[in-house]
Amino acid sequence: MADIAHVDGPTDEDGPVDDNHDNGHGDEHGGHGDHESTGTDNRKLGMWVFLSSEFMFFGALISNYLLFKGRDFTGFDRITLIYPIELYDIPFTSISSFVLLMSSLTMVLAHDALASGDQNRTRVWLAATGMLGMVFVGGQFFEFSEFIHEGMTISSNPAASAFYMLTGFHGAHVFIGILMLLSLWGISRRQGGLTEDQGLNLELVGLYWHFVDIIWIVIFTIVYLIP
Amino acid sequence: MATTTDARPVARTIFRRPAGHTGFWSWITTTDHKKIGIMYGYTAFVFFILGGLEALVLRIQLAVPENTFLSAAEYNAMFTMHGTTMIFLFVMPVSAAFFNYLLPLMIGARDVAFPRMNAVSFWIFFFGGVFLYTSFIFGTTGPPEGGFAAEVSRLGTAPNGGWFGYAPNSGAQFSTGTVLDYWSLGLQILGLASLISSVNFIVTVFNMRAKGMSLLRMPVFVWMTTVVAFLLLFSIPIIAVALFMITFDRQFGTLFFDAAAGGDPVLWQHLFWLFGHPEVYILILPAMGIVSEVLPTFSRKPLFGYPAVVFAGAAIGFMGFGVWAHHMFSSGVTPITQAAFGLSTMAIAIPTGIKIFNWLGTMWGGRITLNTPMLFSIGFVAMFVIGGLSGVTHAVVPADWQQTDTYYIVAHFHYVLFGGAIFGLFSGLYYWFPLLTGRMYNETLGKIHFWILMLGFNMTFAPMHWLGLNGMVRRTWVYANEAELAQWNMVVTVGAFIIAVGVAVFMANWMYSKRNGPKAGMDPWDARTLEWTIPGPTPNYNFGVNPVVTSLDDFWHKKYSEDSEGRPVRRPEADTLLAELEETGLNPPAPIHLPAPSYYPFMVGVAIPIMGYGVIYKDQAFGIPLALVGMLILVGSFAGWGVEPLELDEDHEEGDHA
Amino acid sequence: MRRGSPNPATKRAVTARLVFTAALVLAVSACSNGGPLDSLDPRGPIAEDIDGLFKLTLYIATGVFIFVQAAILIAAVAFRDRPGRQEPKQIHGNAKLEVIWTVIPVLILAAIAVPTVERVFKYTECSPDAMVVDVIGHQWWFEYQYTDYDIITANTLVIPTDTEICLHMTSDDVIHNYWIPKLNGKRYLVPGQETLLLLEASEPGEYWGHCAEFCGLSHALMRARVDAMPMADFVAWAEEQEAPALPAPENTLQAEGEALFLGGEGLTCATCHNVDGINALGNPIGPDLTHFASRSAFAGATMEFAEEGEIERWLANPPEIKPGSFMNNFELTQAQIDALAAWLRSLE
């Protein structure tokens, strides 16, 4: 889905028509012949660059949580003195973390399947990744409804606000990832498989998915495990 | 078993794929970096006028003590919108205009890495700015909880918490009404546009340079663009988090900045300035890049100390993340914090000074043409130095306890942002005018513009230094008769109107000359960089033939060799070279594929503010449906964009003049 | 070196330097406007110390300014293209110069950094024998509570001269900023937190100040005064302030005003304001009025107590004078206004 402007120079022997959109460079993207480049495809580099900014985004959210987590809110107005740490069900969250971790594995398997040309298996692993992601998100929903039931809402106290905001944004990122996975799966089904160009998109979604997983590991450690 | 990989994408577009490269719809659907740059430029300029009018209205109010021209409510809205507009809707987008138009040209590329994403950045910005300004029409203000409501005119129903929106004043308790929701959501939308651009520019610079153009052969303007892109990349997420927090505090009952509930108002300041300080380098570095191109051209000498200037620019960017709390010296942070940030602020003066000395070195010993772009670049150096020096006085922390939140600070940042950034941008507008239009602007009017601006600008902002030290605080709707501030305030107001005259001269020159100016021809400035190797107005496809580069200032070296003393000697083949370049520029030898236009970026731009309105009015009947409609358009646009085929079927375009 | 009288060239150079320095000092001091909020006119040891450091930095900055602007002007003129001018040598840089113009600024800044850091630490902590006053910021006035005395006042802060005053500050609502330019720099008042500011006046007098952090609609009208007096006078003032207000004599206009204050004719003054000895309101929303008539200014220190008709003007329509005022327009009759004003003027 790249719309890299491409050029046919006067020495291009393939002639002016470029049906598979690769600048006459065969399998190379982010080509070499006529410009200076890092060697990484534009879209892949773009995803890495974008993910580095996402690190700052989650960094700010995590710092925010760390700031409020240790505070004592007794004596303040409109406070419900319930802290996230009191409500954690570590075994439950460990299981859903494991599920998310497994989804990264299935993502790698999907990529692997496509690399070896097996479109069916690719779809299977893509669906598996999406479903494991949905289990994770479902687990989050369940966890949050329990917390709310116990009396901790987004307005209970600043630590609660920070907790829900951090985990909420992470969950939203997982949800977007699920949408992308299902889109790839759907496109593959309709077309009978993914083209090589679309294979790059699978890699990009994979990168994103692994990033979201890594962020969860950080969140799980800092928010749930460290006292 | 395995299916083959000859599956083909199936095109499913909702609308017929647009095809044109001329006409009104071609602007709506364009993915061409030059058209996008032009749209950024004109849109930003409209906001410049709006921001300028807001300033004039402020200055009328402050011309005399205890004035009643504006009410307090109107004044607070006007100064908030003046700052917000000038920063987010003028300087940043006009810098984006320059980046968009010039970056590919300077590195010898045909477009940026992601043309549709480039268009989406523009449309998100455009509709974000419109969204922000609709607060004047639809927004409501309200007293703090427990206060009494009062009638406020339309001029006062706009965001009114300052461009920095300090909590808790900007929170739900003290700013009832909707104007600050327009502000927080509007800024969020604008930040998204910048973030998307930054990814685009970074990939473009790293992956699409002409053959032979190593990083240290890139023009300084390209380097500065890259540093700015990294600054945006890392600072926008922080303000995004801060804005989410204040929006959630206002809309969904979170307690981040609610002191009575255990929240921390100073946290807002830390997050805001963690973004805000890199932001000011985002505002100045493009102009520094422009000046680094203009000064060498009109001194007929290379930039003095290219590696030092590049390194200093990168250092400023990097160190810019380490000085944020110098905006908070009086906020009650610990003495260690104050000392540390005072030192880091002093340190950042070093690379800034290095650049200034290198610019001086460029001019020194040159053969200088004092035309309009050169005057503005020299003016930049002269005015920026003043702002930089007053900045150093702020780094002296105890002195800053006196200076902060007074007009002394207003003087400082206007010297660096107006005398600096805006003078630099004007220099660039005149310099690249022939490339954009193929014509020359009127030099006399240009000089008149410069001198009027020098006069008006200094008259307006120099007195603010001592007005601040004499006790005039910022964001002050009136000042007391007894404060002895009247006389210089009047001078400042007169100066502001003189600036307006200067800007009017510029606008007249631009609008007239772009249609009627004399044709400029190839390389009118005998310049040094790649963008001058093609005819103006720039053809659709930029370069007829992909350029190949063998050194810094490659174009110059193709025209000039050096004698034994190191003085340039024009090569005999130089004129033939120019003629050839013009020929291949206008008539490329082989067909060139261009990125196809698309409706989807425009639709994404429209969808996002609709969601914004939905959030603001979520408690009303139409709110949530509106948000859903926006989301549907957004998701639909993404889907369409993703499925949209790369090119049109009959896409063999010969060179089209833009 | 030749002894004897200095040669004319050296004399000229020295004279030039002296004249230049004198001009510089004059120019910088001319920036002082002598107004009540002028930070370039320090009246206490802290402000003087800061002023000295600022002026030193300013002189150095001015020197750099002159050097750079001169270089720009000279370059623009001397190297301007003229007929017959040669093409310039294509110099790419000079490593030695880069080092020089990096190192010299570093040295200058290091020199300024030392006194800067010293003073940061010196002036962010109160000495143990400082006089403590609590300052509470409100939209849009400052409240003062003297910890050593049982005194609560507003708008004008009375202090003894030659004494370090340690202000412990916080806010009741949004962030404010307390600034008395002639006595020190400024410091925020943050809700939920305590910040410190030192003040010391070396001579008696009235020093004006202002809230310096945008705090809402009437930020421009949130001002302050400091009234410094010799210690003996201050102690006398404190004694008077600690005494409760005396009830108004019977059958006077003041008595009518007092009755209105306490709730006569449906007025609600006593629900927001406290006057010791007359009503006993804990946690009043509005300023304490016990010794209102002893203050030079009111209404956020924007209105002069002594000026005729000001109290009446305020009572008639507070939001018109102070937009957003939490004291509403109660639509008092002229009779009510006159009575209340008379009573307020009696609260010495």
Side-chain angles (χ1 to χ4, degrees), chain B residues 44-120:
Chain B
F45 213 82
V46 168
F47 282 117
F48 180 52
I49 306 294
L50 289 174
L53 289 172
E54 282 149 4
L56 289 178
V57 147
L58 293 174
R59 284 315 319 173
I60 294 175
Q61 167 63 15
L62 293 175
V64 297
E66 300 177 20
N67 203 357
T68 51
F69 175 72
L70 290 177
S71 69
E74 289 165 347
Y75 186 88
N76 294 345
M78 287 291 101
F79 84 70
T80 303
M81 289 306 281
H82 168 72
T84 306
T85 302
M86 287 303 195
I87 292 173
F88 294 106
L89 299 176
F90 171 57
V91 178
M92 287 174 82
V94 87
S95 303
F98 279 95
F99 298 155
N100 267 285
Y101 199 96
L102 290 168
L103 181 61
L105 299 182
M106 283 181 154
I107 62 174
R110 289 196 190 286
D111 207 313
V112 294
F114 307 114
R116 279 179 300 187
M117 230 165 69
N118 202 18
V120 96

Side-chain angles (χ1 to χ4, degrees), chain A residues 2-3 6-7 35 38 40 195, chain B residues 7 110 116 207 209 646-647:
Chain A
D3 48 5
H6 48 268
V7 169
H35 40 273
T38 59
T40 309
T195 65
Chain B
R110 289 196 190 286
R116 279 179 300 187
N207 263 5
R209 283 162 286 134
L646 198 58
E647 286 176 344

Side-chain angles (χ1 to χ4, degrees), chain A residues 28-172:
Chain A
E28 301 169 282
H29 283 265
H32 306 292
D34 53 348
H35 40 273
E36 299 293 326
S37 156
T38 59
T40 309
D41 181 273
N42 283 358
R43 288 168 288 165
K44 208 193 257 188
L45 184 61
M47 179 53 84
W48 278 108
V49 170
F50 169 67
L51 291 177
S52 68
S53 115
E54 288 268 78
F55 268 116
M56 282 305 253
F57 183 77
F58 279 104
L61 286 170
I62 291 173
S63 307
N64 185 42
Y65 174 78
L66 286 173
L67 183 76
F68 284 119
K69 96 173 200 175
R71 287 202 185 172
D72 182 9
F73 295 108
T74 27
F76 287 101
D77 293 352
R78 290 170 274 127
I79 292 291
T80 313
L81 277 177
I82 296 193
Y83 296 88
I85 198 120
E86 298 165 15
L87 302 177
Y88 293 152
D89 181 353
I90 301 288
F92 178 82
T93 320
S94 300
I95 293 175
S96 66
S97 303
F98 180 73
V99 165
L100 196 65
L101 214 55
M102 285 302 105
S103 73
S104 264
L105 174 63
T106 54
M107 188 72 227
V108 171
L109 290 170
H111 181 237
D112 199 56
L114 187 63
S116 45
D118 188 340
Q119 298 284 350
N120 270 325
R121 261 197 329 138
T122 309
R123 273 195 295 278
V124 165
W125 290 123
L126 274 177
T129 311
M131 277 192 271
L132 288 171
M134 285 190 263
V135 168
F136 174 82
V137 173
Q140 294 280 76
F141 265 115
F142 176 73
E143 195 181 3
F144 291 173
S145 61
E146 282 290 296
F147 289 175
I148 292 171
H149 190 63
E150 302 273 350
M152 186 178 87
T153 67
I154 203 171
S155 311
S156 292
N157 56 62
S161 300
F163 169 80
Y164 280 117
M165 188 144 156
L166 170 61
T167 48
F169 269 108
H170 176 264

Side-chain angles (χ1 to χ4, degrees), chain B residues 496-579:
Chain B
F497 278 90
I498 295 177
I499 293 177
V501 171
V503 173
V505 169
F506 166 77
M507 287 166 66
N509 195 355
W510 183 278
M511 296 312 288
Y512 178 81
S513 301
K514 69 193 271 278
R515 281 187 208 291
N516 304 309
K519 297 257 173 154
M522 275 293 283
D523 190 22
W525 305 125
D526 198 14
R528 315 176 77 90
T529 41
L530 275 183
E531 76 273 21
W532 297 107
T533 62
I534 47 184
T538 320
N540 239 4
Y541 45 82
N542 301 349
F543 299 90
V545 169
N546 275 339
V548 172
V549 152
T550 53
S551 67
L552 177 65
D553 287 344
D554 181 76
F555 181 43
W556 177 264
H557 293 292
K558 289 203 163 78
K559 293 185 289 184
Y560 291 91
S561 61
E562 283 177 30
D563 67 16
S564 55
E565 279 190 316
R567 297 181 195 275
V569 174
R570 198 169 172 90
R571 295 181 195 270
E573 65 269 25
D575 292 320
T576 329
L577 171 69
L578 286 177

